[in-house]
Amino acid sequence: MTTPTPLVAGNWKMNGLSSSLAELEALETFVKEQAEASCELLICPPFTLVAAMAVKAGGSVKIGAQDCHFNKSGAHTGDISAEMLKDIGAEYIIVGHSERRADHEETSDTVNAKAAAIHGEGLSAIVCVGETEEERDAGQTETVVLGQLLVSVPDSATPTNTVIAYEPVWAIGTGKTPTVADVAEIHTAIRGALVERFGEAGKEFRILYGGSVKPSNADELMAADNVNGALVGGASLKASDFNGIIDAYRS
Ligand code: PEP
C-alpha cells in the first residue's frame, strides 16, 4: 500500500473576477519561495475563470471546477460537461458539495452520475459528503455520511480518480469545526467503508476534511487519523490565508 499524497484544494464558490488571477500568481510565488509542501495543490475557481487560470497556472497548482453535468453534451441550457472542463484544462471536478445538494436539490444518485462522467473523461472527482446540524444532533452523522458515500461514489472510482471530502454542513462558512477526535472518528468510518467496498485500494483514497479550515486550525485538523488534506472555502480566496493552511504540510 502506498500512503496517499495529501491534497489541499480551494473551492472559490461564486467568487472571483479576472482580477483574482493575481491570487493564483501570489500563491505560486509563496510555493516557490517557501519550503516545499508535501501535498498536491488545487484551486477550483468558478467556471468563468477555469480556462484563464489553467493557462496561467505554472505547474505547482492544479486547476479544477466546482460542478459539471452528467451528460457529455446536448440540450442542457446553462450547463457545462466534464468533457468541456477537460478541454479547458481542469483536472479535478468537485461534485455533491452541500451547497449544490441544497440549492439545486442534487441527490446522491445525481452525484454518482456526475462522478462517473468525470471518470469517463479521465479526470478526478472530489465527492463531497456531510451531515447537517440536525442530523448530527440526532446522532445520525455516521449513518448519513456513509449512506451518501455509498450512493454518491460510482463503481468506476479508484484512489487515483476519486477523492472524498467530508464536510459537515454546519461547519461550512460558519467558523465552527468538529473536534479533532470527531473528525478522526468519521474519517476512520469512511476509510472502513471504502475498504469494505474497494478492498486494499480503499486504503489509498484521499479523504479531505472541509469546513472552516483556516491557518490557525489546519495543523491539528490535518494531523487527525485518516485526514489526507483539506477542502477549503473562504480561506482559499486569499493566497496568504491559503498558504498558511498549506503550512500544515511544510516541515
Ligand atoms: C467549502 O465550501 O467547501 C468549505 C469548506 O467552505 P469553508 O472553508 O468556507 O467553510
Side-chain angles (χ1 to χ4, degrees), residues 92-217:
Y92 285 82
I93 304 178
I94 299 171
V95 286
H97 190 283
S98 62
E99 288 152 16
R100 301 270 338 155
R101 290 180 189 261
D103 296 354
H104 300 273
E105 294 173 8
E106 285 190 7
T107 64
S108 291
D109 284 317
T110 309
V111 176
N112 177 304
K114 290 182 176 196
I118 292 165
H119 296 159
E121 296 304 329
L123 302 182
S124 297
I126 300 179
V127 179
C128 302
V129 294
E131 83 287 359
T132 62
E133 189 148 36
E134 295 69 38
E135 289 162 343
R136 186 174 196 87
D137 290 347
Q140 296 168 344
T141 299
E142 193 170 313
T143 310
V144 168
V145 168
L146 298 189
Q148 287 178 346
L149 185 77
L150 183 68
V151 181
S152 302
V153 174
D155 290 337
S156 50
T158 68
T160 311
N161 69 18
T162 303
V163 176
I164 308 301
Y166 166 63
E167 299 206 304
V169 179
W170 52 273
I172 295 179
T174 59
K176 294 194 264 184
T177 54
T179 64
V180 173
D182 285 347
V183 171
E185 188 179 340
I186 190 71
H187 275 240
T188 300
I190 292 171
R191 175 72 66 212
L194 291 170
V195 170
E196 197 174 310
R197 179 161 170 199
F198 296 101
E200 279 295 296
K203 296 183 181 164
E204 297 183 19
F205 282 79
R206 290 175 290 187
I207 309 173
L208 312 186
Y209 168 76
S212 296
V213 178
K214 47 190 182 213
S216 59
N217 62 18

